[in-house]
Amino acid sequence: EVQLVESGGDSVQAGGSLRLSCTFSGISFDDDDMGWYRQAPDNECTLVSSITRDGSIRYADFVKGRFTISQDNAKNTLYLQMNSLQPEDTAVYYCVLGIYYTNYGQCPPSKGFGYWGQGTQVTVSS
């Protein structure tokens, strides 16, 4: 059974930092590209960052220079270090195995678009 469990979401002040973790089982980094999506109320489900099986990394323009994606193969864990957080970063963040490099109307989308965690809430206050 495939399981992805996110943690690390919290409430912080603008300018603060958080590190999200995604620990998974039943899969490995070799299976597919992995990444993080987020969804804020009344917004679409947006790809934040991704890492391919060979380690290539992408970031959405709105997080470049502030967020860093990384992985620990030994711990089966994907991370998202988030610095200089702003109120517009407030969202539920989802860890995903199987990145289709598109945004969705809702997180998670219909079945067949990868494996999704349950999400972790990040709230940034001004």
Side-chain angles (χ1 to χ4, degrees):
E1 180 185 5
V2 175
Q3 284 191 319
L4 299 91
V5 180
E6 302 100 334
S7 61
D10 206 344
S11 297
V12 296
Q13 296 281 332
S17 298
L18 286 173
R19 188 177 78 159
L20 305 184
S21 299
C22 171
T23 301
F24 53 86
S25 59
I27 52 175
S28 76
F29 284 116
D30 292 333
D31 288 333
D32 211 332
D33 298 353
M34 293 195 73
W36 295 90
Y37 274 82
R38 75 183 188 187
Q39 186 164 33
D42 300 323
N43 279 267
E44 63 177 357
C45 180
T46 304
L47 180 59
V48 174
S49 181
S50 63
I51 183 166
T52 66
R53 283 170 286 182
D54 63 0
S56 297
I57 290 173
R58 297 184 186 181
Y59 296 101
D61 287 343
F62 52 81
V63 303
K64 280 182 180 177
R66 300 189 299 125
F67 290 12
T68 303
I69 192 171
S70 63
Q71 64 187 58
D72 186 328
N73 290 11
K75 295 182 178 180
N76 279 358
T77 301
L78 182 72
Y79 300 101
L80 186 68
Q81 177 67 42
M82 306 187 295
N83 298 329
S84 302
L85 284 162
Q86 299 301 315
E88 52 266 35
D89 294 317
T90 295
V92 179
Y93 285 72
Y94 296 84
C95 172
V96 182
L97 172 76
I99 303 296
Y100 289 83
Y101 298 96
T102 186
N103 295 332
Y104 302 100
Q106 182 174 341
C107 289
S110 303
K111 289 185 179 181
F113 289 94
Y115 295 95
W116 292 66
Q118 83 286 355
T120 187
Q121 176 71 48
V122 172
T123 303
V124 185
S125 57
S126 58

